[in-house]
Structure formats: structure tokens, C-alpha cells
Amino acid sequence: MIKELEKLQNENNYRSLKSLDYEGNFIIYKGKKLLNLCSNDYLSLNINQELKHKFLKNIKDKDFYFSSASSRSLSGGFSIFEELESLLENFFKGKNALLFNSGFSLNYSCIQALATLKNTLFLADKFIHASMIDGLKGANFFRFRHNDMQNLSLLLEKHHKNYERIIILSEALFSMDGDFAHIKQLVEFKKTYKNILLYIDEAHSVGCFDESGLGIVKSLGLEKDIDFLVLTFGKALASYGACMLCSRKAKDFFINKARALIYSTALAPINVAFTKFIFERLKTFDKERKALKNISSFFKNLLKDYNIMGDAYIVSLLIGSNEKASFLANKLLENGFFAPAIKEPTVPKNTARIRFSLNANLKKDELLPLKELL
Ligand SMILES: Cc1ncc(COP(=O)(O)O)c(C=O)c1O
């Protein structure tokens, strides 16, 4: 264990936890006030104290539980779970909704369950999240180059005859490079190859796209073509938990096979009630979505002369080595910005970066001084 930790330290890749306090968009760390540029609170709902007070004022007694005290398949099935699932099923007509404790446990255990189906191959984008990669352990899978539809097409052509089903795994808005998946093209593949199923994770896009706020797939009107659509609640929705949207049969399959659902205490009812409260208001956060779009354009323009990536509000400044990325992150910290370096294995080796994730409440003049520091 000690050797492992020493190795990480020598590689400038040692993680430690920080104790932080919050004041709106600022983090208080060791007495220093730092602009938070690494939260996934894209719509700034998590720092909207008024919104949370409103929720707490109206919480019903039947949902006022900080624990479900059991797995949902035993006595943890509080009625609020089905209420939220019904709401989501109403938003995504034709889909069945199933709540999970987190995006990680959803991806990990649903993919693990799907991998038990005979004659199944997964084709996974090279940059999918760790939770999906972990679910693939022991599965038949190949990775395709990130967002490279030609590479995926070659793999489909080569393998489609040998498997009963091929499940393509992608994110809608990628968490680290901040770019969009080619969802329309993925759906097109389903017309050519009849045994394809699409699994799309909207962790970083739900809340922020479409006038309903329900995500990129919804904005494209393609929800019926996505067989497994994943929403997570811990980012733009300022809550916790996740939801799988799929067919009735698939929902029953996961209820019986997804180990993280079966063998874990279900979400706290109060938390599910808060997620429902947010979803009920999601389409009213248009001002926040517009502000997020505007500040993202401003920021990308500000950094246009640097090596940046990102199609929306996740903007990554590519550095390369762990050492240089850590150096820059420290410099930012000393100058009032909280934007830690992201290193392998979260991103590929030698692509260490500063990943800026923006939010609706950021002000242009707060971001301006950053340019001089890079
Ligand atoms: C693409 C993606 N999926 C899933 C997750 C995990 O979601 P959760 O934080 O709800 O466990 C993350 C978390 O960062 C993510 O980026």
C-alpha cells in the first residue's frame, strides 16, 4: 500500500480530500476565498438557498425521512419513489423509469447486469465515465476512438453478425473533453444494424438542454430511439441519485439483476422529494440556461488563444504533464480560483488538464483576471 502511495506521489498524481465551505459561487479554503470553477452545479441551483427553503417549507410529512432504512425491494419502497418515476415517465413518453442511488451505482450495476446476457457485445466510446468502464469488467467489449463514428462503423460491420445484441455506450455531453456525442449518427446506425441498442448517459447535460431542461436526447426528439437513457441528479439538478429510462421489460430486468439496487439502502425519501421538486420546476429555469450559455461563450472567447476543448460549459485547458497541470492549478489557487488539475486515470496519460466547469451565476468580471494567469 505504501509503495502504491509513494508511486502516486512521485507521479504528481496523489489525491487528498479538502474541507471546504461555501459562500455562493465561492469556496472558502484555509481562510481563502476562491471562485469555484469546478462544480457541476451548472444551473447554480445548489447555491440557490431560497429555492431550498421553499422546498423545506412545503415538504410533506410522508416524505420527511432522512433514510429509507432498507433496500427498495424490501421495505424501502416509499411512495415518493413511484411518484418521481411517474413524473419522469410522463416527461419521457413510452419509457419506464427506475431510480438508483447514484449515477455510479446505476451505470456500474446496469451494465454489469446487461453483460450477463448471452451473446452480447458492448462497443464503448474511449472516453466514457469510470462507472461504465467498471460495469464492463468481465463483459465482451471493444472501445472505439472517442466520438469517431468511422471507427465505430468499422467495428459494427466486423461484429454485428456474431452477436445477438450490440450495446453502444456513450455520454451525451462528455464529462472531460466537454464535447457532444454524435447522437443522430448513433441512431442512424440502428437503421443499418437491427441488433443495436443505445445506452446514453446524460449526467452532464440533463437540466441544461431543451426548453424542458430534460437533456440533449430530448432536445433532438430522439428519446424513443435510445434504449437506455441515464439521467443523474447530482449535477445540474442539485440533488442526488439517478434514473434509468428504458422499456418495461428492461426495468423489470434491472429490478431483478442490478445488484446496486437490490443490495443497498434506497435513497432517502426527502432526497427523492427534492429531486421531484426540481423536475417539476425544470422548465422554469430558462433564465439560468441562457445565463449558462452566455457565460460559456464569453469564457471560450476569453481563452480562444489557448489550447481549449469543449462544446458547451465544460471547458478543458489541455496541459499535458501532471507536473505542469498541478503547477498551474496551484497558481490559480493562489490567485483566487478553484480549478484543480485533472489527471490520469480520469483522463488519458499525458493529457492532464484544468477542467473549468461553468455555472449560470458566474460573472464576466470574475472570470476576466483568469486569462493573465494561464
Ligand atoms: C458521465 C458520468 N456518469 C455518471 C457519473 C456518476 O454519477 P453520480 O455522481 O451520480 O454517481 C458521473 C460523475 O461524475 C459522470 O460524469
Side-chain angles (χ1 to χ4, degrees):
M1 212 186 283
I2 292 170
K3 268 196 186 139
E4 271 299 310
L5 290 175
E6 277 172 357
K7 184 167 175 278
L8 289 171
Q9 262 162 342
N10 291 337
E11 290 167 355
N12 249 301
N13 209 1
Y14 184 84
R15 290 169 201 251
S16 56
L17 305 179
K18 299 178 183 65
S19 171
L20 309 171
D21 288 308
Y22 283 79
E23 263 178 35
N25 246 344
F26 289 86
I27 281 177
I28 312 298
Y29 176 52
K30 292 187 176 165
K32 236 173 131 66
K33 195 168 171 179
L34 306 163
L35 188 66
N36 185 2
L37 292 178
C38 78
S39 159
N40 301 315
D41 181 22
Y42 303 121
L43 297 177
S44 308
L45 301 183
N46 200 34
I47 55 174
N48 185 338
Q49 302 299 75
E50 207 184 307
L51 185 74
K52 286 177 279 180
H53 282 300
K54 192 170 170 188
F55 164 73
L56 286 176
K57 247 170 105 178
N58 295 308
I59 179 86
K60 291 184 187 144
D61 223 31
K62 77 169 186 62
D63 302 328
F64 195 57
Y65 289 86
F66 294 100
S67 172
S68 54
S70 171
S71 159
R72 205 173 155 197
S73 37
L74 296 173
S75 68
F78 284 71
S79 59
I80 189 69
F81 283 81
E82 275 197 17
E83 287 172 35
L84 175 56
E85 286 171 350
S86 298
L87 181 73
L88 293 170
E89 286 164 6
N90 216 18
F91 289 151
F92 291 89
K93 293 270 184 295
K95 290 272 181 270
N96 281 258
L98 180 62
L99 300 182
F100 282 79
N101 287 5
S102 70
F104 196 99
S105 59
L106 184 158
N107 279 333
Y108 175 73
S109 61
C110 288
I111 292 172
Q112 193 185 50
L114 289 167
T116 63
L117 296 171
K118 283 207 177 83
N119 265 321
T120 300
L121 176 71
F122 293 87
L123 294 178
D125 187 288
K126 192 90 183 150
F127 286 3
I128 53 167
H129 189 254
S131 52
M132 291 192 258
I133 295 171
D134 284 7
L136 286 173
K137 287 203 176 119
N140 289 319
F141 72 94
F142 294 102
R143 313 281 295 268
F144 57 93
R145 284 196 294 270
H146 174 54
N147 256 340
D148 185 336
M149 295 296 100
Q150 235 177 337
N151 188 212
L152 174 58
S153 172
L154 288 175
L155 288 170
L156 285 169
E157 194 49 41
K158 185 168 171 194
H159 297 291
H160 77 279
K161 287 206 187 94
N162 307 330
Y163 292 90
E164 199 175 314
R165 68 184 70 72
I166 296 183
I167 304 177
I168 298 176
L169 303 178
S170 180
E171 294 175 28
L173 173 64
F174 279 88
S175 64
M176 287 300 144
D177 281 20
D179 52 346
F180 296 122
H182 302 294
I183 293 179
K184 281 187 189 163
Q185 177 61 59
L186 294 175
V187 169
E188 277 300 304
F189 285 133
K190 286 182 93 166
K191 293 181 187 151
T192 317
Y193 307 103
K194 301 296 173 209
N195 55 346
I196 289 181
L197 298 170
L198 296 179
Y199 186 117
I200 306 288
D201 181 339
E202 292 241 30
H204 291 273
S205 36
V206 64
C208 305
F209 293 89
D210 195 51
E211 55 193 32
S212 63
L214 291 169
I216 292 176
V217 167
K218 184 78 177 174
S219 75
L220 297 169
L222 291 174
E223 57 270 32
K224 69 174 185 328
D225 298 295
I226 309 301
D227 304 277
F228 306 102
L229 183 62
V230 177
L231 311 180
T232 72
F233 308 152
K235 303 181 196 293
L237 306 184
S239 185
Y240 195 70
C243 174
M244 167 61 88
L245 292 155
C246 56
S247 67
R248 178 73 236 182
K249 214 164 45 173
K251 175 170 173 171
D252 290 338
F253 176 72
F254 293 133
I255 290 171
N256 284 280
K257 289 284 183 183
R259 292 168 66 82
L261 182 96
I262 301 168
Y263 298 109
S264 187
T265 303
L267 286 168
I270 192 166
N271 166 266
V272 181
F274 182 67
T275 307
K276 180 167 170 267
F277 171 87
I278 294 289
F279 269 109
E280 281 164 347
R281 282 154 186 77
L282 200 52
K283 71 168 182 299
T284 70
F285 300 129
D286 221 32
K287 188 167 62 67
E288 285 80 357
R289 281 186 282 275
K290 282 201 182 105
L292 178 63
K293 210 170 175 183
N294 287 341
I295 201 72
S296 306
S297 306
F298 170 80
F299 189 68
K300 281 191 281 183
N301 195 42
L302 185 71
L303 301 194
K304 68 178 183 312
D305 298 331
Y306 294 93
N307 196 3
I308 56 165
M309 300 181 280
D311 292 336
Y313 37 80
I314 298 170
V315 181
S316 278
L317 174 71
L318 199 63
I319 311 281
S321 75
N322 290 350
E323 204 181 347
K324 281 189 187 152
S326 298
F327 180 81
L328 181 56
N330 276 333
K331 186 174 167 193
L332 293 176
L333 196 79
E334 279 161 19
N335 287 278
F337 295 97
F338 192 79
I342 310 284
K343 305 166 200 164
E344 55 150 331
T346 309
V347 294
K349 202 173 163 74
N350 295 323
T351 70
R353 64 197 62 189
I354 304 291
R355 171 187 178 268
F356 297 105
S357 43
L358 306 175
N359 72 69
N361 263 17
L362 286 167
K363 306 285 173 289
K364 289 178 185 173
D365 56 352
E366 291 170 339
L367 294 171
L368 269 175
L370 195 110
K371 189 178 174 183
E372 309 310 321
L373 298 168
L374 303 180

